[in-house]
Structure formats: C-alpha cells, structure tokens
Amino acid sequence: MKSNRLKGIFFIILSAAGFAGMSAFVKLAGDLPSFQKVFFRNLISTIIALYLIIKHKGSFVGKKENRKLLLWRSIFGTLGVIFNFYAIDKLILSDANMLNKISPFLVVILSAIFLKEKINSKQVSMIIIAFIGALFIIKPTFSIQIIPYIAGILGAMFAASAYTCLRAIGGKEDYYTIVFFFSVFSMISILPIVIMVYEPITITQFIYMILAGIFASIGQFGVTLAYRYAPAKEISIFDYTNIIFSAILSIFIFGVYPDKWSIVGYFIIFTAALYMFIYNKKLDSSEKISDN
C-alpha cells in the first residue's frame, strides 16, 4: 500500500538522521577508546529495548530455532559497530558514513551466497561501481593513513553480514527482541576489553555518549520499523540521506568540508544506489505483470 511505503520512507529517513546524529556525538566525545564508546551506545539501546519487551511482554532471547542467527547477527553487528566507530573517530564524518553505506551492496552478494537469492550481471556491475566510488573516498596510499579507511570498509562488511542474518530471520522475531539480544551480547562480549582500556570521562563526554546512544537507538529502531512497512528495494535509496545529514553536521559542528575526490566518490556511490533502486522497481513491475 502507498501509505505503508510512505511510512517506510519516513522511518528510513528518521533512521538516517539518527545514525548521523550518533556519529556526530561519538566524534564530539573525543579521544576515548572505541570499545568504551560502543559499550555506551549499546547500553542505551538495551534500556529502551528492555522497556519495550516488558511493555509488550515479549521475549528476551527469542525463539530457540532463531537463536543461532541472532547470535551471528550479534557477533557481526558488534564487529561492524567497533570498526565503524574507529573510522568515525579518525575520518571526516561524511567519509566514514559513506564507506559504511557500501553495506547494502554487500548484502546483495552475501544474500546470493548464503540465502540463495538471485543476483544478475547488472547488480554485480553496480557493486563494482560502488567500490570504485569508495576508492575515490579512500584515495589509497601505502601509508598508515589508510588504516581508518580499511576500518570503514570492514565496518561495512560486518554490517552487511549482520543485515544478511536479519534478512534470514525475517519477521520471525519482534524488532525489540532482536535489538535487545544484540545490545546485551555486544556489551557482555566487549566488557573485559572496556575494563582494560577504560579511560575516565568528563561530564561533557558522558552527556555526548548518552546522546550518541539515544540517536543510535533512533537509527536502529527506525531502520527496523522502516523494513516492516516496505521492502528494502523500495526504500533503501532514502538511507543515503544519512550522507547529507553527515556532511551538514561535519560543516556546521566540526567546520570540516569533504574534498573534491570524496564528493566524486559520494556521487558515484549514490548514482549506483539510485540505479539499483530504479532497476529493482522495474524488476518488481515486470514480475507482477508475468504473475498476472
């Protein structure tokens, strides 16, 4: 239904704004260990998800048959957030977030391999083009400066793996159960490292981390609700508004502008995403006609 599609678009844009806000507050929190930031981010999500589970009398650990997928989703998701936070700390905000947006293309590959979803030459071509766009952002060199960009790519790869697990789970679990399972797993698994690398934080940093957690929750719940109302191929293009939000925040909060090659990279990746969106719409239309 059209109204559901509009709801899906609204929630995906809300999610994009939430994750952009999270990235900004993570960066504003300063030179704290990435693991410490990830812990705070998931602590807020856990509290919100816990409230929703209690309110709706939902499950804390999900159905037995889904726990293996929930566990893998949590492992990949935790690694994705750690690498993404490291990239956010070291790179221009919009660069870090744009690299993370390679994940939708990687989901296509992983879904074809593990979920046996069909993939064609046009989709493969767009994936290759997206990686070319990423190279314009990365501007590869054989120096230590490339490490944050590699972290950004790894973050996207693990995020794509987590999203593939979510696709496999489908509607078999409540969204708040999935978020709670992931957030608690993430906190428990990184707690020993957090204790080892813990650095005292100021009141200002604490406030920034709480705000990062709140905005991360908006992003996480927003994207989950968006895909309940509309399929990914119809609304995923709107997730790229995150880059617009991030670029605006980079300019107005940090006074940092992306360079011309990064802008070329944004344009290439966004164009590839737009083509995928239009192509999937046409594919849907042709499938409906053939079904009739």
Side-chain angles (χ1 to χ4, degrees):
M1 288 177 64
K2 190 175 180 181
S3 59
N4 280 347
R5 188 180 294 113
L6 289 174
K7 286 178 184 176
I9 291 169
F10 169 77
F11 280 115
I12 201 76
I13 293 174
L14 180 67
S15 169
F19 282 127
M22 175 205 76
S23 300
F25 285 115
V26 164
K27 204 169 182 69
L28 282 168
D31 194 24
L32 291 172
S34 295
F35 286 97
Q36 199 168 326
K37 291 181 177 182
V38 173
F39 187 88
F40 268 97
R41 173 224 193 268
N42 286 314
L43 178 63
I44 304 302
S45 295
T46 299
I47 293 167
I48 295 171
L50 178 63
Y51 165 76
L52 290 169
I53 287 173
I54 294 169
K55 181 182 177 182
H56 297 287
K57 297 179 180 178
S59 171
F60 291 99
V61 294
K63 301 181 183 72
K64 187 178 179 181
E65 62 270 21
N66 297 327
R67 280 176 201 156
K68 189 175 180 181
L69 276 172
L70 284 169
L71 182 62
W72 279 112
R73 179 266 180 273
S74 301
I75 292 169
F76 292 136
T78 299
L79 289 169
V81 173
I82 290 167
F83 282 114
N84 184 37
F85 274 32
Y86 179 82
I88 287 167
D89 278 339
K90 305 298 181 183
L91 299 174
I92 295 171
L93 198 60
S94 49
D95 276 14
N97 284 343
M98 195 67 201
L99 289 173
N100 197 250
K101 291 305 168 194
I102 295 170
S103 59
F105 296 97
L106 299 177
V107 170
V108 175
I109 296 173
L110 294 173
S111 296
I113 296 169
F114 296 105
L115 305 182
K116 308 303 178 188
E117 294 185 1
K118 292 180 180 179
I119 181 171
N120 59 42
S121 59
K122 288 188 178 180
Q123 290 170 319
V124 172
S125 299
M126 289 305 107
I127 291 163
I128 293 169
I129 290 170
F131 273 110
I132 292 169
L135 290 176
F136 277 94
I137 300 171
I138 297 168
K139 297 173 280 291
T141 60
F142 293 99
S143 71
I144 198 168
Q145 293 177 348
I146 201 173
I147 291 174
Y149 292 99
I150 293 171
I153 293 287
L154 288 171
M157 289 172 65
F158 284 119
S161 301
Y163 292 146
T164 304
C165 292
L166 281 177
R167 289 181 70 156
I169 295 168
K172 299 171 189 173
E173 294 288 350
D174 293 316
Y175 66 94
Y176 38 79
T177 296
I178 295 170
V179 172
F180 181 81
F181 193 104
F182 160 62
S183 300
V184 171
F185 172 88
S186 182
M187 286 196 302
I188 292 171
S189 62
I190 68 171
L191 184 59
I193 303 173
V194 172
I195 293 169
M196 286 172 58
V197 301
Y198 182 83
E199 290 184 10
I201 62 174
T202 64
I203 293 173
T204 303
Q205 285 177 317
F206 179 76
I207 292 169
Y208 284 147
M209 289 314 304
I210 295 297
L211 288 169
I214 291 170
F215 276 92
S217 299
I218 292 169
Q220 204 165 12
F221 285 107
V223 73
T224 308
L225 288 167
Y227 291 126
R228 287 183 70 186
Y229 285 112
K233 60 181 68 175
E234 288 188 7
I235 62 172
S236 60
I237 187 65
F238 296 98
D239 192 28
Y240 283 81
T241 55
N242 173 275
I243 308 307
I244 299 169
F245 293 129
S246 296
I248 291 168
L249 291 172
S250 285
I251 293 165
F252 286 98
I253 296 178
F254 303 104
V256 177
Y257 294 79
D259 64 29
K260 63 180 180 181
W261 295 118
S262 288
I263 292 169
V264 170
Y266 302 164
F267 179 77
I268 291 171
I269 295 175
F270 185 82
T271 302
L274 181 61
Y275 178 85
M276 285 279 276
F277 172 72
I278 294 168
Y279 175 74
N280 285 330
K281 289 282 287 180
K282 286 180 179 177
L283 209 61
D284 276 351
S285 299
S286 61
E287 284 173 359
K288 284 177 185 175
I289 291 168
S290 61
D291 287 343
N292 294 330

